[in-house]
Every structure is written in structure tokens, then in C-alpha cells.
Amino acid sequence: MLKKASNFLLILLSGFLLGISWYTVTWVLFLAFVPLFLAVNKIHTSDSRKKSLKIWGISYLTFFIWNIVATWWVYNASLEGAILAIVCNALLHSGMFLIWYQTERRIFGTLKFWLLIPIWIAYEYLHHSWELTWPWLTLGNCFAGSHRFIQWYEFTGVSGGSLWVLVANVLFYHLISRGEKNWKAYTKPVLVIIIPIILSYIILGVRTITPDKKINVSIIQPNYDPYTEKFSFGFNWQLDQLHKNLTSAQLNKNTELVVLPETFIVPQSNEQSDVNETNFKFSPEVTRLIAIMKYHFPKAAILTGACTYHEFAP
């Protein structure tokens, strides 16, 4: 069925599958590249001219759809930034894809897609290492919500997840491209998916430690809109609101740890600089926060984050 679909439908499907895999249907990522691979092979084996340009075009459209579906939310921070990120990131993906195609065609002639794996992983590594880094769409990061399946990341890092995804896709592609109908033939790609998961649960079982002591923790989320209220009303206003809410709430005075948002401590206004890390404990923001937290939670430590800066000696 997929082999008979038009290239346009194939790249739409591939881009959509890549995009939605970043939400609740993570497992479609193991098949998401297959429609794109089929479209690429159709062009490669056709008599059409400018094959490289066409393959770059369909790959760009695929990755453009992927970026839109998976990272559309960036527009909440900046519409211009979202457009730039989506357009440029798709351009980088498709450029890398074109490098793979040119290399594969010149060296081997036929497309087996195995060479794409090291080229893709090398691209992701480089994409983490420069000023335009955008690791959100690193393939291995797709499993951030399925941590029980990827405990082996402690040995391979996120690149191990990217390798996992690409190997499964290439295996499925070769079976689907030749119209394989024997279900036993699909044992290999299925095992490629399942074995790391089994290994992960083994690691999880061995490494899981039952704590000897339980502590009382209070997690506080002020629920400010990070695009409007959070950085508009100032830290003192937010702290006053938090103080009022805590005063009217039924609190556990035996709380041993209070967890606040990662950027709870912010400058008083846009004109003020961030908190100087050299005198962090003595800054007005930190001093006032500690005083209020100790009033409501006298036994607790505080875990939070701040907008800070550090001065280095010349």
C-alpha cells in the first residue's frame, strides 16, 4: 500500500509521524522515516532528471512538517523566532540528508540507507556543539517521557536512542520496500525495539533503591503565565502574592523541602540586572524569599532556580 502511494502523500505521512511522535504516540518514530525512504528510493530509481534536487526538496518538506508539528509552540515566545527555527532547522536536516544521498550514490550506487545512520548521528552531535544548537528534535530525546525504556542511556547517551530509532526504521524499510508478507521476517526489527526495553527494565530493577527514610515535600507552582505575568510584574509582586496564598492555605509545618519553579527568583524589573552569583545569599530577592519561606516552613530547605550572572576576573 505504501509503495503505491504518491511521493507527496509519503512525505506528508513521514513528516506527520515524526511530528506526533514528540507527543503521546512516541512509538510511531520507529516507522516514521519509512515513507520518506520509499519516496527517496522512487526518485532514485526513476528516469527523472535532477534527482538530487528532488530528494532535497522532499526531505526539506518532510522535515519542515516535522518541525511545525513538534515545535509550533515556540511562537508563544516569539513568532519570528519560531519561523526562523522551523525554517532553518528543516534546512539543516535536509542539507544533511542531501549529503548522505550524494555520498551513498557515489560510493555504493544503490540505496541501503545504512550510511545515513552514522551521518545522522554525527549531524546531531555537531548540532549540539555550536551557537545555533537546537537539541529538541534529537531523535533520542523523543523518549524523554518514557524513561523506563531508556535506562541504558547512562551508557550510550541520547545518541544511543537516535541509533535505536534509525536502525529500526532502516530494517522496517527494507522489509516493506520489497513487499515482505511473511510476518516472521519482521522478527528482527521487533527484537531491535524490544531487547533494549527489556535491558532497561533489568537496569531499573538492579539500580532501584528503596529509601530508608521518607521526607515531607511541598511543591509550589504559582501558575504565572511565563509569556506575560512572569517577567512583567516583578519578583516582589509575585512573592507578595505567594505570601498571601500560603497564609490562607493549610500548610504542613513539618515540611522538610520546598520546591519552587526553576526561574522563581527574577530581577525586580526589566531594567535591573540578574542576581550576582558572588553575593547570591545576600541579594535582596534571596533574603526576602528565605524569610517568607522560613515563616511558613520553619524546618524546610528550599530548592529553586534564579536568573543569575557570574563575573569572571580578567
Side-chain angles (χ1 to χ4, degrees):
M1 181 178 177
L2 278 177
K3 290 177 66 177
K4 296 179 181 180
S6 68
N7 284 348
F8 183 70
L9 289 177
L10 287 171
I11 59 180
L12 284 179
L13 177 60
S14 200
F16 181 71
L17 290 177
L18 284 166
I20 64 173
S21 63
W22 255 251
Y23 296 96
T24 57
V25 283
T26 304
W27 301 110
V28 300
L29 188 59
F30 291 111
L31 288 165
F33 282 95
V34 174
L36 174 61
F37 291 168
L38 290 171
V40 169
N41 192 57
K42 278 186 178 184
I43 294 174
H44 177 70
T45 55
S46 70
D47 296 327
S48 61
R49 298 180 178 180
K50 299 181 179 180
K51 294 180 182 180
S52 295
L53 181 61
K54 291 180 179 179
I55 286 175
W56 173 81
I58 64 171
S59 65
Y60 182 84
L61 183 55
T62 300
F63 299 136
F64 184 74
I65 295 169
W66 174 21
N67 276 264
I68 288 179
V69 175
T71 62
W72 60 269
W73 45 267
V74 177
Y75 92 92
N76 287 308
S78 168
L79 177 59
E80 297 82 1
I83 293 173
L84 185 64
I86 290 170
V87 170
C88 291
N89 206 46
L91 186 62
L92 290 170
H93 275 104
S94 59
M96 175 274 304
F97 203 80
L98 181 60
I99 291 172
W100 158 76
Y101 175 69
Q102 293 283 20
T103 306
E104 179 89 10
R105 186 185 65 172
R106 294 173 187 275
I107 296 177
F108 302 108
T110 58
L111 301 184
K112 297 297 184 182
F113 290 94
W114 291 111
L115 184 60
L116 176 64
I117 296 176
I119 291 177
W120 187 287
I121 292 175
Y123 157 75
E124 286 187 341
Y125 177 80
L126 293 173
H127 202 17
H128 290 182
S129 309
W130 66 329
E131 292 300 320
L132 296 179
T133 179
W134 182 227
W136 190 269
L137 295 184
T138 297
L139 294 176
N141 283 339
C142 183
F143 303 102
S146 307
H147 65 278
R148 292 181 179 275
F149 300 150
I150 54 171
Q151 293 299 306
W152 41 273
Y153 271 25
E154 67 174 286
F155 304 108
T156 68
V158 72
S159 293
S162 298
L163 175 65
W164 189 30
V165 168
L166 291 168
V167 169
N169 271 277
V170 172
L171 289 173
F172 277 121
Y173 159 74
H174 286 308
L175 292 171
I176 294 172
S177 64
R178 66 172 184 254
E180 182 63 63
K181 295 181 180 180
N182 183 359
W183 291 107
K184 291 183 179 179
Y186 290 85
T187 302
K188 184 182 292 186
V190 170
L191 287 176
V192 164
I193 296 172
I194 292 177
I195 290 176
I197 296 176
I198 295 173
L199 178 62
S200 183
Y201 272 96
I202 293 174
I203 295 172
L204 196 62
V206 172
R207 298 288 177 85
T208 299
I209 301 174
T210 303
D212 297 328
K213 176 187 175 183
K214 294 182 178 180
I215 66 172
N216 292 308
V217 180
S218 292
I219 301 176
I220 301 174
Q221 173 54 266
N223 197 29
Y224 299 130
D225 189 325
Y227 302 109
T228 55
E229 300 171 308
K230 174 67 178 177
F231 297 99
S232 299
F233 294 108
F235 176 72
N236 280 331
W237 178 84
Q238 295 180 51
L239 202 55
D240 288 338
Q241 297 302 311
L242 178 63
H243 185 33
K244 291 177 183 178
N245 292 333
L246 290 176
T247 301
S248 61
Q250 294 182 350
L251 305 176
N252 183 354
K253 295 295 183 180
N254 293 318
T255 293
E256 298 171 76
L257 176 65
V258 177
V259 181
L260 293 165
E262 60 180 331
T263 56
F264 186 75
I265 302 174
V266 297
Q268 298 290 350
S269 67
N270 292 332
E271 288 74 29
Q272 282 189 271
S273 63
D274 296 335
V275 178
N276 189 335
E277 294 180 7
T278 304
N279 301 310
F280 184 79
K281 293 182 180 180
F282 305 102
S283 69
E285 295 88 355
V286 174
T287 301
R288 187 157 185 253
L289 173 63
I290 292 176
I292 290 177
M293 288 295 103
K294 290 300 181 183
Y295 175 81
H296 294 288
F297 305 101
K299 300 179 181 180
I302 304 169
L303 177 62
T304 186
C307 296
T308 69
Y309 70 92
H310 179 79
E311 292 181 344
F312 293 92

